[in-house]
Amino acid sequence: MFLIILTFITALAISGVAIYYSILGLAAIFAAAAVPIMIMGTVLEVGKLVTASWLYQNWKQVPWLLKYYLTTAVVVLMFITSMGIFGYLSKAHIDAGTNTSQIQIKVERLENRIDSEKKNIERAEKQLNQLEDALDRYVELGAVSKGLNKRQEQEEERLKLTEMVNYSQKNIDLYLDEKAEYDLEIRNFEVEVGPLKYISALIYGDRALDFLDSAVRIVILILVFVFDPLAVLLVIAANISIREEQN
């Protein structure tokens, strides 16, 4: 008797989790009617389990038309539930990938800003070198006094160029710190999908990285095929055990 109760409770638990994921998936598809979808999904899930149980108990007495209609209804409801689960799990994977894509876009923007600041530094340093070369020519010509006077005239310009270099370098440091945080998030995501890479490698071999999405779909389909059907079959199994116990 304990095994019968355990089987029935397990069937209800699997069915409850399945309808939860399914409702979330269907609500994402029909976002404008989320609450009605939740109510409909819950009622249909309960109706599916009751129908499967009732069909087994009354299979021989039920008229063939009603028998095949209810059987078809159970199969279709299993398909709908599985479709909702597939939608929910797919959305979860897409959301994770979308977040990573957005982070990569931000990283690219930061890299562009860093390159821009580096160009500013190069231009400023080039101008400083030109000023220094001009003073060197005065020294080579023996006009040291004129060179010193020229340097004093350049002092303000040199100061501005030096401030530009320091300002750009400070911005680069800030951008690099921000980029490091984004890189850490990307690496954390890569760690999370690490097992998926091995699954993809098992299926696609050396081209595993090119087929991560396909590997995800295969894993989701495997989960879907054993999720809701298992709940229905366990309900039937519990009914079989109850009938045997009564006999």
Side-chain angles (χ1 to χ4, degrees):
M1 193 63 185
F2 172 76
L3 184 59
I4 297 174
I5 296 174
L6 181 62
T7 302
F8 187 70
I9 292 174
T10 303
L12 293 179
I14 295 174
S15 179
V17 174
I19 193 56
Y20 175 74
Y21 290 160
S22 178
I23 286 175
L24 292 179
L26 292 173
I29 297 173
F30 305 102
V35 175
I37 286 293
M38 293 178 184
I39 297 173
M40 180 186 70
T42 303
V43 172
L44 289 177
E45 182 68 17
V46 174
K48 178 182 64 183
L49 296 179
V50 172
T51 301
S53 180
W54 186 86
L55 270 176
Y56 174 77
Q57 293 290 344
N58 302 277
W59 184 261
K60 294 181 179 179
Q61 302 96 297
V62 178
W64 68 270
L65 184 60
L66 180 59
K67 180 188 302 183
Y68 291 118
Y69 171 78
L70 291 178
T71 302
T72 303
V74 170
V75 173
V76 171
L77 288 173
M78 288 170 59
F79 175 77
I80 292 173
T81 302
S82 299
M83 182 177 63
I85 295 171
F86 184 89
Y88 172 76
L89 296 177
S90 298
K91 183 178 181 298
H93 173 68
I94 291 172
D95 288 345
T98 300
N99 185 45
T100 304
S101 299
Q102 292 174 348
I103 292 175
Q104 288 175 338
I105 292 173
K106 292 179 181 179
V107 169
E108 291 176 359
R109 289 177 179 171
L110 287 174
E111 289 175 346
N112 291 333
R113 291 176 182 175
I114 290 171
D115 291 338
S116 178
E117 296 294 346
K118 286 181 178 178
K119 290 178 181 178
N120 291 336
I121 291 174
E122 290 176 0
R123 284 194 293 266
E125 289 180 342
K126 184 178 180 179
Q127 292 177 10
L128 285 171
N129 290 332
Q130 290 174 348
L131 294 175
E132 197 66 36
D133 291 340
L135 294 177
D136 290 341
R137 282 196 292 272
Y138 279 106
V139 175
E140 291 173 0
L141 295 173
V144 177
S145 298
K146 290 184 178 180
L148 292 174
N149 292 333
K150 191 67 176 176
R151 184 179 182 86
Q152 290 178 353
E153 294 176 3
Q154 296 173 351
E155 196 63 34
E156 185 177 353
E157 185 177 359
R158 284 173 177 272
L159 182 60
K160 289 181 179 179
L161 292 172
T162 303
E163 288 176 351
M164 288 176 59
V165 171
N166 293 335
Y167 179 76
S168 294
Q169 189 59 59
K170 182 179 178 180
N171 287 338
I172 289 175
D173 292 338
L174 293 175
Y175 294 149
L176 288 174
D177 291 339
E178 190 174 354
K179 181 175 178 291
E181 294 178 2
Y182 291 142
D183 288 338
L184 180 60
E185 291 185 33
I186 293 174
R187 282 196 295 271
N188 289 337
F189 175 76
E190 291 176 349
V191 170
E192 291 177 2
V193 301
L196 183 60
K197 292 181 180 178
Y198 290 102
I199 296 174
S200 183
L202 182 65
I203 301 172
Y204 298 104
D206 295 335
R207 302 182 63 190
L209 294 177
D210 297 329
F211 293 95
L212 284 178
D213 288 340
S214 297
V216 170
R217 283 193 292 270
I218 291 173
V219 172
I220 293 175
L221 285 173
I222 292 173
L223 290 172
V224 165
F225 284 138
V226 299
F227 214 134
D228 197 56
L230 179 60
V232 175
L233 293 176
L234 282 176
V235 168
I236 296 174
N239 277 274
I240 294 173
S241 298
I242 291 173
R243 174 170 289 185
E244 292 178 351
E245 186 75 16
Q246 290 175 347
N247 296 333

